[in-house]
Amino acid sequence: MLLPPHSRFEQPMEGRELSTGIRLGRGWHTGDPADAGAAWTRSPRATLQITAGHFPEPVPLRLTLRAFCASPERPGTLRLLSPGQPVLQRVLTSTAPVTLLLATPRHAPGAESTALTLAFDLFGSPLLEGAGPDERQLGLTLLDVTPRWPLRRRLNAVLSRLRRS
């Protein structure tokens, strides 16, 4: 069944805001008190919605992620796809956090937001791994997302906050 491009089922879902102008898109488990605020991927492709109003031009973005069950014997391939930017690919061989730097997407004219896609091919279940009763399939957890604004913009933001105080 094909859905029209403007169908509500094809539109990005409003997810939790992670940072100003950055929200969880599709492919994430909904909040669970046991996660203590962690966001886990639930499918091979998960998105972050980057708003054009906050990021009209590409800005460096630091993502800190952790794979649920990667190991040297069972590596997982992570691909980060940000429209208008080169594809970033890493092979993860441990569950240690990894920090990656990429640019926010280049938005199409008139777009309200653009999806940054995380594609990961390795999933596991805490129940099957013997790590707890959780039956969900987990791929990556997003530990931190931080825009690295250019220095001038950061200084202007700090000055603006100081003036309001």
Side-chain angles (χ1 to χ4, degrees):
M1 176 173 107
L2 293 175
L3 296 172
H6 296 293
S7 164
R8 70 183 212 171
F9 298 106
E10 285 300 308
Q11 299 302 313
M13 298 175 69
E14 277 295 304
R16 185 176 73 209
E17 188 169 44
L18 303 171
S19 180
T20 302
I22 302 172
R23 291 188 169 278
L24 290 178
R26 295 173 181 244
W28 300 92
H29 283 291
T30 56
D32 182 353
D35 284 340
W40 285 95
T41 59
R42 65 176 170 82
S43 67
R45 296 175 76 83
T47 62
L48 298 175
Q49 286 301 126
I50 312 296
T51 61
H54 288 93
F55 299 94
E57 293 297 321
V59 169
L61 187 65
R62 187 176 64 212
L63 292 174
T64 303
L65 308 160
R66 185 173 64 84
F68 175 71
C69 61
S71 69
E73 298 79 33
R74 221 168 93 180
T77 302
L78 168 64
R79 295 181 71 222
L80 295 166
L81 306 122
S82 184
Q85 309 299 335
V87 174
L88 180 63
Q89 183 169 311
R90 293 286 186 275
V91 175
L92 305 181
T93 59
S94 81
T95 58
V98 60
T99 299
L100 304 168
L101 190 64
L102 73 154
T104 59
R106 189 168 297 284
H107 301 283
E112 288 182 27
S113 68
T114 302
L116 186 154
T117 304
L118 293 86
F120 191 59
D121 64 356
L122 182 64
F123 285 81
S125 165
L127 179 67
L128 296 176
E129 301 283 331
D134 191 346
E135 298 174 350
R136 297 178 301 167
Q137 289 290 308
L138 307 175
L140 296 168
T141 184
L142 183 60
L143 300 171
D144 186 45
V145 80
T146 307
R148 305 299 299 162
W149 299 103
L151 183 58
R152 173 176 280 188
R153 204 158 174 190
R154 284 189 281 172
L155 288 173
N156 286 339
V158 169
L159 288 173
S160 175
R161 281 194 302 264
L162 289 173
R163 286 183 189 128
R164 281 187 247 142
S165 300

